[in-house]
């Protein structure tokens, strides 16, 4: 019998994740899996559980939670000799990675899709010595989004990020960044740098319309100006999927990127606080196999 480990974050989805455990077990057992359930209690638990699944040669690991839980789970797959297939039940505020793979955002539907025979190999990103799932942002706006509390995420959903972003826009704080990519160098003042692996960032599925989960590229945006009035036109471009052509945005694709600053600059990685600059980013093409819904 095949082995499946379910890693569940009980605080995800307005603390409703536990309600779906039994349904997930039933679907997986019906698909021929013996199921082990692991519940996270703190930071790093999902990674530790996933490492255990790799060491014990589990066939499938299912992450039930938000982008942060998924980020931790997938970090447990880093450079492992045996990497289980990954299943995803999105329960968070934004669920960008699930959106990019067209995994249902309704938990009941996502659970049913765990029995799908269809899988897809997807890229991963490497930030210094760890993996990231979807996006890395650097700058004053990225730092402010890291301060969104778990309570606000549960209570307000995506509006929690919007509230913090608006507060930061009014201050118009920018930092001098040096960005090197595939032999080219850009240096200038910017409130926000984004490197995305998929087309969905912060719930906006048109940030990088050309991005695919298996194209081996980082899709990068340098925002040169984001004062309050200009942010309106940036937002319109974002909603229309035309951000790359905005006059105050530089867009490029790359396989390797480094970002530095002489000033203290915070990063946001998959919706959570990341390391301060400098950072080194790269792609690991088609690194992980993910269960996706049948066509």
């Amino acid at each position: 019998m095949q082995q499946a480990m379910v890693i569940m974050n009980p605080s995800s989805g307005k603390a409703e994740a536990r309600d779906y455990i039994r349904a997930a077990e039933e679907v997986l057992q019906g698909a021929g899996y013996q199921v082990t359930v692991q519940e996270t209690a703190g930071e790093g638990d999902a990674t530790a559980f996933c490492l255990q699944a790799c060491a014990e040669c589990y066939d499938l690991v299912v992450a039930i939670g938000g982008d942060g839980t998924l980020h931790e789970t997938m970090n447990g797959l880093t450079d492992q000799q045996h990497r289980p297939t990954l299943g995803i039940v999105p329960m968070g505020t934004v669920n960008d990675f699930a959106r990019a793979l067209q995994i249902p955002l309704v938990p009941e539907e996502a659970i049913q899709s765990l029995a799908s025979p269809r899988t897809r190999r997807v890229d991963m990103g490497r930030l210094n010595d760890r993996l990231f799932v979807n996006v890395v942002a650097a700058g004053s706006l990225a730092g402010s989004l890291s301060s969104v509390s778990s309570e606000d995420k549960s209570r307000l959903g995506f509006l929690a990020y919007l509230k913090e972003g608006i507060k930061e826009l009014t201050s118009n704080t920018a930092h001098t960044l040096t960005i090197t990519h595939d032999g080219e160098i850009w240096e200038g003042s910017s409130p926000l740098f984004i490197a995305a692996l998929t087309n969905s960032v912060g719930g906006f599925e048109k940030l990088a319309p050309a991005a695919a989960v298996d194209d081996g590229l980082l899709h990068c945006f340098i925002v040169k100006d984001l004062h309050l009035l200009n942010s309106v036109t940036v937002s319109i471009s974002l909603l229309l999927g035309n951000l790359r052509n905005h006059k105050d945005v530089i867009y490029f694709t790359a396989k390797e990127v480094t970002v530095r600053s002489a000033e203290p600059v915070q990063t946001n990685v998959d919706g959570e606080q990341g390391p301060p600059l400098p950072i080194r980013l790269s792609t690991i093409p088609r690194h992980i196999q993910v269960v996706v819904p049948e066509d």
Side-chain angles (χ1 to χ4, degrees), residues 71 75 78-79 124-138 142 193-197 218 255-259 265-284:
H71 170 90
N75 264 272
T78 309
D79 301 326
M124 293 302 303
R126 190 182 294 276
L127 185 156
N128 298 341
D129 58 352
R130 72 187 200 188
L131 295 186
F132 67 95
V133 176
N134 194 66
V135 63
V136 175
F193 165 78
I194 299 171
L197 284 173
L218 294 164
K255 294 182 178 180
E256 295 187 6
V257 179
T258 59
V259 186
V265 178
Q266 190 60 55
T267 66
N268 185 291
V269 182
D270 293 334
E272 305 292 337
Q273 182 172 322
L277 297 185
I279 56 173
R280 183 180 67 259
L281 308 174
S282 60
T283 59
I284 311 173

Side-chain angles (χ1 to χ4, degrees), residues 47 76 80 90 113 168 218 235 242 265:
T47 299
Q80 298 302 304
S113 73
E168 185 61 38
L218 294 164
S235 299
N242 198 35
V265 178

